[in-house]
Structure formats: C-alpha cells, structure tokens
Amino acid sequence: MRLDKLIKALDEGGVDYRFHLPPGISAAEIEVSDMVCDDGKVCRGAIFAATKGDRRDAHDFISQAVAAGSPVVLCEREVEERVPQIISPNVRAAMGRVASFLYGEPAKKMTMIALTGTNGKTTSTFMTQAILNAAGIKSGLMGTVQNDDGKSVDEAEHTTPEGCDIQRLLSRMAANGCKACAMEASSHSIEQGRINGLGFDRAGFTNLTWEHLDYHGDMEHYFLAKKKLFDKYMRNDWKACVNIDDEYGRRLFHALGERAISYSVRDERADFFASVKGVTEKGLAIEVKTPESRGGDEARLPLFGDHNVSNALQALSIAWSLGVSYRDSLAVLETIPNVSGRLDLYRLDNGASCVIDFAHTPDGIEKALSALRPICAGKLVIVFGSGGENDKSKRPAMGEAAARGADFVILTTDDPRGEDPASIMAEIEPGVKRHGTPYAMIVDRRAAVYEGLDRAGSGDVIVIAGRGPETRQLLKEGAVPLVDREIMTDWCALRGRKVL
Ligand SMILES: CC(=O)N[C@H]1[C@@H](OP(=O)(O)OP(=O)(O)OC[C@H]2O[C@@H](n3ccc(=O)[nH]c3=O)[C@H](O)[C@@H]2O)O[C@H](CO)[C@@H](O)[C@@H]1O[C@H](C)C(=O)N[C@@H](C)C(=O)N[C@H](CCC(=O)O)C(=O)O
Ligand SMILES: Nc1ncnc2c1ncn2[C@@H]1O[C@H](COP(=O)(O)OP(=O)(O)OP(=O)(O)O)[C@@H](O)[C@H]1O
C-alpha cells in the first residue's frame, strides 16, 4: 500500500495521530506492506511501531529499524531519523487501528468471536473453531497455545497478540478463505488496547476468579477490564454468551440485557444447561437443554470435569447464536480432541495415571482436581508451583486449593523468572498448611515429578499442573527447554514403565 493512501485511510477512519513528513520525502513514493513492533522482525517495507514496554522503550531501536528497511515509523514523539512518522500518544493502543487499515481491514471480512474470562478461554475457543469448521464456516484461531490462519498453525507467544500481529494474522486468515475468527481476549490485551481496530459479532465470558491482581489491583478492576470487551468492542447485532454459574458472569449477564445468552451447569433456567449423567475413564455422559429443546439430548464428551461441560456450553451457545444447530455442535464435541496440556491423561502400565494440566490459578487447580476425583480409585497427587513475577497474592490460595482437593501435594518450581524458586514455594506453603494434607517441597521440577510418579501405584492419579504443553522454563538465568510430558516419558524410560 502507498503511504499516502494509508494516511488518507487513517484520516477517514478518525484515527488520532499527527503525521510528520520530513522535507524532500513524498508519501506517494513510499510503499508499506507490513507492521512490526520488534526491530529484529523488520523487513523491507515494514512500518516499525515503537511501543514502550515494561523493560524497554522501542524508540531506542528506531534507528536500527530504519537501517533494516523500515520506511515509516509509528511512534509517540518526533524522532531525528529522516523517515515519515505517524505520531500517536499511545502506540500500543494505536497500532491495531493503524495496522487494520494497512492490511485492508481484514476483521470486516469475517465473523469475529472473542472469548474472555480467567479460565477456559483456550478450551472454548478450540471447541468453537472445531464446531464452525465442521459446519462449513472456515474459522481461524488465536489463543494461548497456537494461532491458526486457516492454512498453517504456529505456536503462540501471547494469549492475545500485539495489535499489529493480530491484524497481520487476520489478513492471512482472510486470504486463506476464513469466514470467521475465534480468538481469546486477555484482560491485559483489552486494558492495553491490543484489540483496538477490532469489532466483534459474538463474545463469550467464561468466569472470573483470582488471577492477575498484580496487574489489575483488585477483582473489581479485573472485572471492569473484561467488561470493556462487551461495552466498547461489539458490532451491530452482537450477542454475548455468558456463564451464569460465575458470580461476575451473573453480573455481566444482567448488565447486558437482551444481548446476552446464558449457560449453566447448575441452573436449569439458563438458555443452555447441561448436567453430567455419568463419568467413565473415557469421559462424561451429559444431558443438554437448549433454547430449542427441553432437555433430553444426550452426548458423550471425551473430556473430564464440570468445567469442561461449561466450556462445551460456551462453544455450543456461540455456534448456535451463529446459526449452527445444537445437534451438529454436540456431534462435533463428541469427538473433539483434547486441547494440548488441558487434562491430558496418560495411563501407565502399573495402573497409575499421569495427567498434564495447565491449571495455574486457585480455581483452575480446584477444577482440575475435582474433575479427576471421580476417576481416581486411589490417591490423587498434585505437583505444581507458581509463576514468578506475576500475581503473588494467589500463591497461598493455590496451595489451599491443592491441599483441599488432593491427597498428597508436591510443591515445586514453575517459571520462576527473576524470583527465587524456593521463596515462591514458601509463599504457597501456608495455604497447603491450612489443611492436614501431607506435602513435600522439591525445588527441581524434574525431581518433584519423579517423586510423584514414584509414589503413584495402581489406581492413583498424579497431576502435573501449571505448564500444560509449555516447552521452555523461564529461569533467572534465561529460558531452558522443559516439557512436562517429556519428564513423564523420561521417568518411564528410567523405571522401565510404559504409557499404555
Ligand atoms: C516480558 C515482558 O515483561 N513483557 C511486557 C512488556 O512487553 P514488551 O514486549 O513491550 O517488552 P519490552 O522488553 O519492554 O520491549 C518494549 C518494546 O521494545 C521492543 N524491542 C525490545 C528489545 C529490542 O531489542 N528490540 C525491540 O524492538 C519490543 O518488541 C517491544 O515492542 O511490556 C508490556 C506493556 O506493559 C507488557 O504487556 C508485557 O508483558 C508480556 C506481553 C506478557 O506476557 N504479559 C502478560 C502478563 C500478558 O499480557 N498476558 C496475557 C495473558 C494473560 C492471561 O489471560 O493469562 C496475554 O495476552 O498474553
Ligand atoms: N471453565 C473453566 N473453569 C475453571 N477452570 C478451567 C476452565 N476451563 C479450564 N480450566 C482450568 O484452567 C486451565 C487453563 O484452561 P484454558 O487454557 O482453557 O484457559 P485459559 O483461559 O485459556 O487460560 P490462560 O489464559 O491462562 O491461558 C486448564 O488446564 C484447567 O485446569
């Protein structure tokens, strides 16, 4: 796209910016084709968006970006480099809007769906995408685990990418024939304006529990950040699907009025309701009521836990609101593959089971353990830690949830980042001590998992929680490769055990 055309689009789109064009440069002679916010990713023709982060001010990298081929910068103050400058007071919040015009407003070509909430976003987003794809509505996906542009799948860096990365991904989805995009909207991304430049046709709210209070301060502000999605980012004729089993979900449901569709695993009056009729080692038998049926529709989900029934209802209600029959959706959910690292269950040849799960909040731990209790004939053991340099207040509550739900707790290291792993464990420990559950503290994660597996005999279930499919452990010294599933398979190899 020619720069003068982009500038015209920004003017017509009402974007708040000031344009600085150094003398002797013509905007009509500059081609821009991409936008990045990391100077290491600059290629010829890419606009460099200079954000201010927690650690660095990217204005310091503008000269490197220009040298690498950036013909234009999006920045917060005029800089010396002799390049055209799109100047905006908050680049992080502006880049999504600017990039949306650069990439031809790709979101407008698709049905846009955003799912928010503390837990369950990834799972519900996967389910929604699978249902839409099966219904012939080709759908892309953006989320914590991966980004899918309709052709290829890449590992994700963030739950919700930066604004320019969102728009680039959407343009690839549109080019690959996607008619919809199901994405996760984290509270950070809403608060920072990473989703600016987007409008949504459907949004979902899964739940709001203790997490990210280091960032939001308290639950009220955390809720208000999530609520902004529904107040500021919805298009005409939007609908929202809301979990009314959650206290904040009920509040949101009442605030949204007739736009809201409710779902519940507790309250039969909800628009979508499901109850668990049976639990086996293969999953759950559920009965479902929808706005079109009075109940009696049965389905077998290859998943565990009420929380996954809730996630299934989130996806079912979103798809139904887009015209997909609930029976077709249930058929898809009956064969849905497990989302990587979400209650991945491995049966070992000694009769024990090992489960890898991403639970990293008090509620996630509680839900994961209560999902596994019905299929645990023996002892339920949990191995987990808590991430460093994020919400410290949740640590004792995580310990308490683990001690309440498990028969044995092993505290260990998660991603300590710059913090001392033993100090993090010491902050979880008081919560564990509130119950009489026996526990151990083993700093080295591999040794902790080995200890859990060594303890597990026939009928026992050991849950390795907190990291799901993550591949790198973030230590003070830097990132090291570490995959929980590989620790389990290494243990099997060492002890001569097999995964069945
Ligand atoms: C690692 C880290 O601390 N990152 C925080 C930081 O991001 P940042 O990328 O701006 O980092 P920075 O190092 O300060 O760099 C500033 C800018 O300079 C650029 N740069 C930097 C170095 C360089 O050599 N060249 C260069 O161009 C960077 O690309 C960046 O644009 O500053 C941002 C603004 O305050 C934070 O949002 C961000 O948190 C990262 C993204 C993060 O993961 N935050 C978490 C809490 C988060 O957002 N999580 C949610 C999911 C939450 C959930 O639901 O669980 C998410 O959506 O991912
Ligand atoms: N609906 C739910 N309610 C409570 N806990 C859940 C729910 N769904 C999943 N969990 C738990 O939370 C963990 C993370 O689930 P999932 O990845 O679907 O959520 P998320 O919202 O994407 O999380 P994050 O944004 O932190 O990646 C799961 O491993 C499980 O232990």
PDB file of all heavy atoms in Angstrom, residues 114-131:
ATOM      1  N   ALA A 114     -14.855 -13.265  20.173  1.00  0.00           N
ATOM      2  CA  ALA A 114     -13.827 -13.148  21.225  1.00  0.00           C
ATOM      3  C   ALA A 114     -14.314 -13.842  22.487  1.00  0.00           C
ATOM      4  O   ALA A 114     -15.474 -13.679  22.886  1.00  0.00           O
ATOM      5  CB  ALA A 114     -13.572 -11.674  21.543  1.00  0.00           C
ATOM      6  N   LEU A 115     -13.437 -14.625  23.089  1.00  0.00           N
ATOM      7  CA  LEU A 115     -13.795 -15.260  24.352  1.00  0.00           C
ATOM      8  C   LEU A 115     -12.883 -14.708  25.444  1.00  0.00           C
ATOM      9  O   LEU A 115     -11.666 -14.615  25.263  1.00  0.00           O
ATOM     10  CB  LEU A 115     -13.637 -16.772  24.248  1.00  0.00           C
ATOM     11  CG  LEU A 115     -14.542 -17.428  23.206  1.00  0.00           C
ATOM     12  CD1 LEU A 115     -14.420 -18.928  23.221  1.00  0.00           C
ATOM     13  CD2 LEU A 115     -15.993 -17.054  23.440  1.00  0.00           C
ATOM     14  N   THR A 116     -13.506 -14.325  26.552  1.00  0.00           N
ATOM     15  CA  THR A 116     -12.714 -13.815  27.655  1.00  0.00           C
ATOM     16  C   THR A 116     -13.118 -14.515  28.950  1.00  0.00           C
ATOM     17  O   THR A 116     -14.100 -15.250  28.997  1.00  0.00           O
ATOM     18  CB  THR A 116     -12.840 -12.274  27.747  1.00  0.00           C
ATOM     19  OG1 THR A 116     -11.745 -11.772  28.511  1.00  0.00           O
ATOM     20  CG2 THR A 116     -14.151 -11.819  28.359  1.00  0.00           C
ATOM     21  N   GLY A 117     -12.338 -14.277  30.024  1.00  0.00           N
ATOM     22  CA  GLY A 117     -12.579 -14.959  31.296  1.00  0.00           C
ATOM     23  C   GLY A 117     -11.235 -15.413  31.843  1.00  0.00           C
ATOM     24  O   GLY A 117     -10.239 -15.412  31.120  1.00  0.00           O
ATOM     25  N   THR A 118     -11.199 -15.797  33.119  1.00  0.00           N
ATOM     26  CA  THR A 118      -9.917 -16.208  33.707  1.00  0.00           C
ATOM     27  C   THR A 118      -9.475 -17.557  33.158  1.00  0.00           C
ATOM     28  O   THR A 118      -8.344 -17.719  32.710  1.00  0.00           O
ATOM     29  CB  THR A 118     -10.035 -16.285  35.241  1.00  0.00           C
ATOM     30  OG1 THR A 118     -10.539 -15.050  35.715  1.00  0.00           O
ATOM     31  CG2 THR A 118      -8.696 -16.594  35.895  1.00  0.00           C
ATOM     32  N   ASN A 119     -10.357 -18.527  33.204  1.00  0.00           N
ATOM     33  CA  ASN A 119     -10.022 -19.874  32.747  1.00  0.00           C
ATOM     34  C   ASN A 119     -11.026 -20.344  31.705  1.00  0.00           C
ATOM     35  O   ASN A 119     -12.187 -19.933  31.726  1.00  0.00           O
ATOM     36  CB  ASN A 119     -10.051 -20.859  33.923  1.00  0.00           C
ATOM     37  CG  ASN A 119      -8.880 -20.647  34.862  1.00  0.00           C
ATOM     38  OD1 ASN A 119      -7.734 -20.556  34.442  1.00  0.00           O
ATOM     39  ND2 ASN A 119      -9.177 -20.539  36.157  1.00  0.00           N
ATOM     40  N   GLY A 120     -10.565 -21.228  30.847  1.00  0.00           N
ATOM     41  CA  GLY A 120     -11.477 -21.841  29.882  1.00  0.00           C
ATOM     42  C   GLY A 120     -11.480 -21.175  28.513  1.00  0.00           C
ATOM     43  O   GLY A 120     -12.121 -21.681  27.588  1.00  0.00           O
ATOM     44  N   LYS A 121     -10.744 -20.076  28.348  1.00  0.00           N
ATOM     45  CA  LYS A 121     -10.761 -19.393  27.048  1.00  0.00           C
ATOM     46  C   LYS A 121     -10.198 -20.300  25.952  1.00  0.00           C
ATOM     47  O   LYS A 121     -10.789 -20.442  24.892  1.00  0.00           O
ATOM     48  CB  LYS A 121      -9.902 -18.107  27.079  1.00  0.00           C
ATOM     49  CG  LYS A 121     -10.366 -17.065  28.067  1.00  0.00           C
ATOM     50  CD  LYS A 121      -9.529 -15.803  27.991  1.00  0.00           C
ATOM     51  CE  LYS A 121      -8.076 -15.943  28.419  1.00  0.00           C
ATOM     52  NZ  LYS A 121      -7.871 -16.375  29.817  1.00  0.00           N
ATOM     53  N   THR A 122      -9.023 -20.870  26.226  1.00  0.00           N
ATOM     54  CA  THR A 122      -8.363 -21.672  25.185  1.00  0.00           C
ATOM     55  C   THR A 122      -9.241 -22.849  24.790  1.00  0.00           C
ATOM     56  O   THR A 122      -9.474 -23.110  23.598  1.00  0.00           O
ATOM     57  CB  THR A 122      -6.999 -22.196  25.702  1.00  0.00           C
ATOM     58  OG1 THR A 122      -6.219 -21.078  26.108  1.00  0.00           O
ATOM     59  CG2 THR A 122      -6.264 -22.972  24.643  1.00  0.00           C
ATOM     60  N   THR A 123      -9.745 -23.561  25.808  1.00  0.00           N
ATOM     61  CA  THR A 123     -10.548 -24.749  25.529  1.00  0.00           C
ATOM     62  C   THR A 123     -11.797 -24.371  24.736  1.00  0.00           C
ATOM     63  O   THR A 123     -12.114 -24.991  23.712  1.00  0.00           O
ATOM     64  CB  THR A 123     -10.924 -25.432  26.862  1.00  0.00           C
ATOM     65  OG1 THR A 123      -9.736 -25.568  27.647  1.00  0.00           O
ATOM     66  CG2 THR A 123     -11.561 -26.779  26.640  1.00  0.00           C
ATOM     67  N   SER A 124     -12.509 -23.332  25.182  1.00  0.00           N
ATOM     68  CA  SER A 124     -13.750 -22.944  24.489  1.00  0.00           C
ATOM     69  C   SER A 124     -13.461 -22.427  23.085  1.00  0.00           C
ATOM     70  O   SER A 124     -14.260 -22.619  22.171  1.00  0.00           O
ATOM     71  CB  SER A 124     -14.479 -21.834  25.239  1.00  0.00           C
ATOM     72  OG  SER A 124     -14.508 -22.074  26.592  1.00  0.00           O
ATOM     73  N   THR A 125     -12.338 -21.765  22.922  1.00  0.00           N
ATOM     74  CA  THR A 125     -12.001 -21.234  21.590  1.00  0.00           C
ATOM     75  C   THR A 125     -11.738 -22.381  20.610  1.00  0.00           C
ATOM     76  O   THR A 125     -12.218 -22.369  19.476  1.00  0.00           O
ATOM     77  CB  THR A 125     -10.758 -20.307  21.684  1.00  0.00           C
ATOM     78  OG1 THR A 125     -11.003 -19.345  22.690  1.00  0.00           O
ATOM     79  CG2 THR A 125     -10.493 -19.585  20.388  1.00  0.00           C
ATOM     80  N   PHE A 126     -10.991 -23.398  21.091  1.00  0.00           N
ATOM     81  CA  PHE A 126     -10.751 -24.576  20.239  1.00  0.00           C
ATOM     82  C   PHE A 126     -12.077 -25.230  19.847  1.00  0.00           C
ATOM     83  O   PHE A 126     -12.285 -25.627  18.709  1.00  0.00           O
ATOM     84  CB  PHE A 126      -9.907 -25.619  21.001  1.00  0.00           C
ATOM     85  CG  PHE A 126      -8.434 -25.504  20.758  1.00  0.00           C
ATOM     86  CD1 PHE A 126      -7.702 -24.481  21.341  1.00  0.00           C
ATOM     87  CD2 PHE A 126      -7.761 -26.418  19.975  1.00  0.00           C
ATOM     88  CE1 PHE A 126      -6.333 -24.369  21.147  1.00  0.00           C
ATOM     89  CE2 PHE A 126      -6.397 -26.324  19.769  1.00  0.00           C
ATOM     90  CZ  PHE A 126      -5.675 -25.301  20.355  1.00  0.00           C
ATOM     91  N   MET A 127     -12.961 -25.374  20.851  1.00  0.00           N
ATOM     92  CA  MET A 127     -14.244 -26.042  20.587  1.00  0.00           C
ATOM     93  C   MET A 127     -15.061 -25.237  19.579  1.00  0.00           C
ATOM     94  O   MET A 127     -15.664 -25.801  18.665  1.00  0.00           O
ATOM     95  CB  MET A 127     -15.030 -26.176  21.891  1.00  0.00           C
ATOM     96  CG  MET A 127     -14.455 -27.190  22.856  1.00  0.00           C
ATOM     97  SD  MET A 127     -15.359 -27.079  24.421  1.00  0.00           S
ATOM     98  CE  MET A 127     -14.838 -28.586  25.223  1.00  0.00           C
ATOM     99  N   THR A 128     -15.068 -23.922  19.761  1.00  0.00           N
ATOM    100  CA  THR A 128     -15.843 -23.061  18.854  1.00  0.00           C
ATOM    101  C   THR A 128     -15.307 -23.194  17.434  1.00  0.00           C
ATOM    102  O   THR A 128     -16.076 -23.360  16.478  1.00  0.00           O
ATOM    103  CB  THR A 128     -15.743 -21.586  19.324  1.00  0.00           C
ATOM    104  OG1 THR A 128     -16.162 -21.519  20.680  1.00  0.00           O
ATOM    105  CG2 THR A 128     -16.604 -20.670  18.471  1.00  0.00           C
ATOM    106  N   GLN A 129     -13.990 -23.149  17.297  1.00  0.00           N
ATOM    107  CA  GLN A 129     -13.408 -23.260  15.962  1.00  0.00           C
ATOM    108  C   GLN A 129     -13.766 -24.610  15.325  1.00  0.00           C
ATOM    109  O   GLN A 129     -14.136 -24.677  14.150  1.00  0.00           O
ATOM    110  CB  GLN A 129     -11.879 -23.124  16.026  1.00  0.00           C
ATOM    111  CG  GLN A 129     -11.242 -23.138  14.634  1.00  0.00           C
ATOM    112  CD  GLN A 129      -9.767 -23.529  14.636  1.00  0.00           C
ATOM    113  OE1 GLN A 129      -9.300 -24.260  15.519  1.00  0.00           O
ATOM    114  NE2 GLN A 129      -9.024 -23.053  13.659  1.00  0.00           N
ATOM    115  N   ALA A 130     -13.668 -25.678  16.119  1.00  0.00           N
ATOM    116  CA  ALA A 130     -13.950 -27.017  15.566  1.00  0.00           C
ATOM    117  C   ALA A 130     -15.399 -27.101  15.093  1.00  0.00           C
ATOM    118  O   ALA A 130     -15.690 -27.650  14.016  1.00  0.00           O
ATOM    119  CB  ALA A 130     -13.665 -28.083  16.623  1.00  0.00           C
ATOM    120  N   ILE A 131     -16.319 -26.551  15.873  1.00  0.00           N
ATOM    121  CA  ILE A 131     -17.741 -26.612  15.500  1.00  0.00           C
ATOM    122  C   ILE A 131     -17.984 -25.808  14.221  1.00  0.00           C
ATOM    123  O   ILE A 131     -18.660 -26.265  13.296  1.00  0.00           O
ATOM    124  CB  ILE A 131     -18.627 -26.073  16.655  1.00  0.00           C
ATOM    125  CG1 ILE A 131     -18.561 -27.013  17.863  1.00  0.00           C
ATOM    126  CG2 ILE A 131     -20.059 -25.887  16.185  1.00  0.00           C
ATOM    127  CD1 ILE A 131     -19.253 -26.478  19.109  1.00  0.00           C
TER     128      ILE A 131
END
